[in-house]
Amino acid sequence: MRYFNGTGWLAIFTGTETMIGRTRDVDAWDEATGVALVVDPQRGIRRPVTDYPDFSHLEPASQVVAAIPGGGWRAFWKDEGPDNGPLTEQVLAWLITAKGGATPITVGARGDVDDAESADLLIPPGEE
């Protein structure tokens, strides 16, 4: 699944002796220094990434700027269904990114939501 967040950036941490490597959403930017800020779940505050001794680097993520209804589109996979048969799921919504991309988001029969970028075919409304 493609990774989306509000700023379009992820902070990568390598880990320490007591903490495993991890990825955190960049939540904002410090206005005075320009340093990326992440939420510290233990303290319940935003902290600069440079406060962490294991901060490695930033990586781009897809920044969602809008979501629009699925509009009757469906996603089709040749061999993702029961017994490796076909599977069709309704496109619940399209996530629109800052770079103009549109990612179909499907909802399965059990209500699970995922992107459909791996679909073999996207079927427009009214087509079989």
Side-chain angles (χ1 to χ4, degrees):
M1 179 171 188
R2 181 183 293 182
Y3 197 84
F4 299 97
N5 73 20
T7 64
W9 289 95
L10 300 171
I12 309 300
F13 300 88
T14 58
T16 64
E17 289 183 17
T18 59
M19 188 175 280
I20 63 170
R22 63 215 176 278
T23 301
R24 297 270 169 94
D25 287 346
V26 171
D27 191 54
W29 305 94
D30 184 286
E31 290 184 24
T33 65
V35 174
L37 302 174
V38 295
V39 173
D40 180 336
Q42 282 78 34
R43 290 185 176 174
I45 61 171
R46 287 180 176 161
R47 288 179 56 193
V49 293
T50 52
D51 279 4
Y52 295 88
D54 63 331
F55 169 67
S56 173
H57 63 282
L58 298 178
E59 289 186 3
S62 293
Q63 183 180 21
V64 174
V65 295
I68 59 174
W73 284 75
R74 292 171 292 141
F76 173 79
W77 293 265
K78 295 176 192 170
D79 56 5
E80 296 291 323
D83 300 322
N84 293 326
L87 173 68
T88 303
E89 291 184 344
Q90 196 72 31
V91 174
L92 175 67
W94 296 89
L95 297 183
I96 310 303
T97 67
K99 293 184 178 180
T103 300
I105 303 299
T106 58
V107 59
R110 295 184 202 152
D112 44 329
V113 176
D114 203 352
D115 73 56
E117 290 188 313
S118 67
D120 296 309
L121 183 65
L122 291 171
I123 305 168
E127 288 192 23
E128 287 300 318

